[in-house]
Amino acid sequence: MTLLITVIVVLLLAVSALLFFPWAGRSAADRDTLNRAFYRSRLRELEEEKIPGREEMVVELQQSLLADIPDQQPAKHRPFGRRALLPGVLLLAVVSIGAFIKTSSLSHVLEWQQVTQQTPALIQRVMDPDAKPLSMEEMARLGLGLRTRLQDDPQNAEGWLMLGRIGMVLNNASTATQAFERAWRLAPDNLDAKLDYAEVLTRSSDPQDNQQGEALLRDVLSKQHANIRALSLLAFSAFEQQRYKEAIGAWQILLRLLPADDERRTVVARSIAQAKVESGMDNAKVAVKITLSPQAEKALPEKGIVFVSVTDGVSNVPVAAKKLPLGHFPLTLTLDDTNAMMPDRLLSSVRQGIIKVHISQAGTPAPQTGDWTGQSGLIQFNPSTPVEVEVSQPLP
């Protein structure tokens, strides 16, 4: 910034000097001075030539000089004083500086300088696990400061890694991808750099990026078969590309690698179940055949709703539920993962449970007087064998 200010001052001084230059010379010579100079020059020429009749030529020259003397002395003009140019210089400086401030984004430059001064403290906060986490604005400032540093030190692989992670936090895919690529190319054997670069590539919307990312992950797994992060990223990429069998295979390997008390096992199990649902490979189905007792058949209302639910036998909260209008009995229907109550608790995640049937006169799931219910015992689900449930219990 100091250099910029110095250049501006020098340029203004140079322009000001150009403004003063036309008035810096002496005043123009008057007529008498020019005549005397011409007379002396001509006399020297006559003396040097030494031609006959020189005296007559000198007299003639003197007469010409006397004839050129004006009758009246011309009025002398007082030249402009240099102080009269000072307002012009001040106007020039004001207009120039104003135009520079208006068009040069000086505020951004000052902000950038402030950010570069804050960068060391922000880096220290990031590296300190006990320090206060950075806000999104501070993350953006740190990213700008890192970019400035990396311009001077482009071979700093760790700096590019940090910039890429900041790009991911700020949801700036372009910055993250470019930074991770630089880090990986500078340190191709750095496992973190390779996995970070592979992650942004597998999350890209470009199929070529996805292929390159998966190639990097397979390269990691060829050397480290039990790399949990590489397996997880490869499974996620395969799932996003609708290669569900491949995703399920990678997640099943993860389940064997993760400790029994690892919280990630639950997420992996849900992912496997979701992949099975999406692919139709194991869309668990439970067939239910509903019959009525003689008493229920006689007391059955003309209109109503049939609610069928499945619980796991441990909790009363339904895993899956289905409702349909009251019709003819016996009634056969199926429940599957599409009838799940919660997306993270699918019917395919349970292998046994209890089937409950509720015939509601009012059409609400809450039991009321006059409704009829029935349920099965705790049974193992078998898609090929329907579960028979008899509705025989009236609600008082």
Side-chain angles (χ1 to χ4, degrees), residues 12 30 52 136 146 172 175 186 188 231 236-237 249 260 289 292 298 302 305 313 351-352 355 374 384-385 394 396:
L12 284 175
D30 56 17
M136 297 301 288
L146 276 176
N172 189 330
T175 296
L186 289 171
L231 277 170
F236 170 81
S237 180
K289 182 179 180 180
L292 301 176
K298 291 178 182 179
E302 294 182 0
I305 297 294
R351 292 291 178 263
Q352 64 179 12
I355 309 296
S384 62
T385 304

Side-chain angles (χ1 to χ4, degrees), residues 66-367:
L66 291 174
D68 195 51
I69 296 176
D71 298 334
Q72 295 182 354
Q73 190 70 15
K76 293 184 178 181
H77 297 282
R78 186 178 182 181
F80 284 106
R82 294 182 181 180
R83 294 182 181 180
L85 300 176
L86 289 179
V89 173
L90 293 177
L91 180 61
L92 173 65
V94 170
V95 172
S96 301
I97 295 174
F100 171 77
I101 294 175
K102 187 69 175 178
T103 60
S104 63
S105 300
L106 183 60
S107 60
H108 295 293
V109 176
L110 295 175
E111 182 181 359
W112 167 69
Q113 288 190 331
Q114 183 181 11
V115 168
T116 55
Q117 294 174 357
Q118 295 174 349
T119 301
L122 293 175
I123 293 178
Q124 187 175 4
R125 282 180 57 187
V126 169
M127 304 301 294
D128 186 358
D130 299 326
K132 181 181 177 182
L134 270 63
S135 64
M136 297 301 288
E137 181 181 355
E138 289 173 328
M139 278 289 184
R141 286 174 169 267
L142 178 57
L144 178 59
L146 276 176
R147 279 183 174 276
T148 304
R149 283 194 165 193
L150 290 171
Q151 291 292 328
D152 299 327
D153 187 15
Q155 305 301 315
N156 188 342
E158 292 298 328
W160 287 111
L161 270 178
M162 182 178 291
L163 179 61
R165 289 165 184 165
I166 291 173
M168 293 190 69
V169 172
L170 298 176
N171 199 25
N172 189 330
S174 177
T175 296
T177 303
Q178 293 173 8
F180 284 143
E181 182 181 6
R182 289 292 297 270
W184 172 63
R185 294 193 181 280
L186 289 171
D189 296 329
N190 187 318
L191 184 61
D192 289 335
K194 183 177 291 187
L195 290 176
D196 286 339
Y197 185 39
E199 182 174 358
V200 296
L201 289 176
T202 54
R203 295 179 183 275
S204 171
S205 59
D206 188 343
Q208 292 184 351
D209 287 347
N210 301 151
Q211 294 176 6
Q212 184 181 358
E214 290 183 2
L216 291 174
L217 293 174
R218 291 191 179 93
D219 181 63
V220 172
L221 291 172
S222 66
K223 301 173 184 176
Q224 299 183 12
H225 304 288
N227 190 294
I228 292 177
R229 185 182 177 193
L231 277 170
S232 179
L233 290 174
L234 187 60
F236 170 81
S237 180
F239 181 85
E240 289 296 311
Q241 302 300 319
Q242 299 182 357
R243 303 196 308 272
Y244 299 115
K245 290 184 179 181
E246 185 178 341
I248 291 171
W251 278 321
Q252 287 175 340
I253 296 174
L254 270 179
L255 284 179
R256 294 197 296 269
L257 294 174
L258 292 173
D261 58 346
D262 197 310
E263 296 180 353
R264 290 174 291 180
R265 292 181 63 89
T266 303
V267 177
V268 173
R270 292 173 184 172
S271 300
I272 293 174
Q274 184 65 34
K276 289 181 177 180
V277 172
E278 295 291 341
S279 65
M281 294 169 51
D282 188 21
N283 192 6
K285 296 181 180 179
V286 177
V288 181
K289 182 179 180 180
I290 304 173
T291 60
L292 301 176
S293 67
Q295 295 83 359
E297 189 173 1
K298 291 178 182 179
L300 197 66
E302 294 182 0
K303 295 181 179 181
I305 297 294
V306 180
F307 292 94
V308 183
S309 60
V310 181
T311 62
D312 59 5
V314 178
S315 172
N316 290 326
V317 178
V319 177
K322 191 173 187 177
K323 72 174 184 177
L324 59 159
L326 188 62
H328 298 286
F329 290 90
L331 174 65
T332 301
L333 55 90
T334 58
L335 293 95
D336 55 30
D337 285 333
T338 61
N339 304 119
M341 300 296 291
M342 294 179 290
D344 58 349
R345 192 165 181 247
L346 303 175
L347 184 59
S348 58
S349 64
V350 296
R351 292 291 178 263
Q352 64 179 12
I354 298 173
I355 309 296
K356 297 181 179 181
V357 179
H358 169 214
I359 299 178
S360 171
Q361 299 182 57
T364 59

